[in-house]
Amino acid sequence: MSASILSHDPATVCAALSPLLLDERRARIDAAVAARLGGLRVVIENLHDPHNGAAVLRSAEGFGIQRVEVIESFEPFRFSSTVTQGCEKWLDIVRHKTLDAAVEALRRDGFVIYAAVPGAEASVEDLNFSRPAAVMVGNEHDGLTGAAIDAADRVFSIPMPGMTASLNLSVATALIAERAAALRRRALRAEGDLDAGEQLALRARFYAASVRGAEAIVARYRAGEPGL
């Protein structure tokens, strides 16, 4: 999808492209947009394995989390397109060169930060998701850095009453994302938290990602060409 299409009025984009979508596809997009969470973010620090990176993206998107923040202070973020199956086009992936830059951006946007730390007494269920919140996880080998843990407002872990002491990072992140998203929706008593303007802009983006040649179609629509 060309970035220039996003410069068009989203209502115009939707009007031009909506008739070209199958009813089932349009309904699926509209439902996904309505349930989108902008006030919950997943933050990953120095992830190493591209397959884990891809799995994190799929989990975030699958549970309706719109934005994934990646910290690349030691490791560049990579993901396997074979595993993502294209889910990245539905997400906002924001890269930060340092932990400080990521924390500053989250604080500026009004987010509280929760850090996943094995053995922490609190669980996801104990966290407050009535306000914008970011859940932060570390890499496969060392977890979060000490600085990341220190920057968090609260630490939490996944309760594991069995004999196994840890989970694969992608599995752990999926469990965290699912619970955090459910708790955010429960706290708000709503499926999504985007306002009407944000939903319209996201719907236009998703429509454009679903229609081949969307840029040219929107241009012809704006020019008033017949047959559109």
Side-chain angles (χ1 to χ4, degrees), residues 126-139:
D126 298 316
L127 305 177
N128 178 12
F129 289 98
S130 63
R131 60 174 297 185
V135 289
M136 183 163 54
V137 297
N139 72 20

Side-chain angles (χ1 to χ4, degrees), residues 1-2 5 13-14 16-22 25 29 89-90 204-218 220:
M1 179 181 65
S2 171
I5 198 171
V13 174
C14 290
L17 301 180
S18 179
L20 303 178
L21 293 167
L22 295 175
R25 180 67 168 180
I29 291 174
K89 67 176 173 286
W90 313 115
R205 173 178 157 186
F206 284 9
Y207 282 10
S210 301
V211 175
R212 183 175 298 179
E215 177 73 30
I217 293 168
V218 172
R220 291 199 302 271

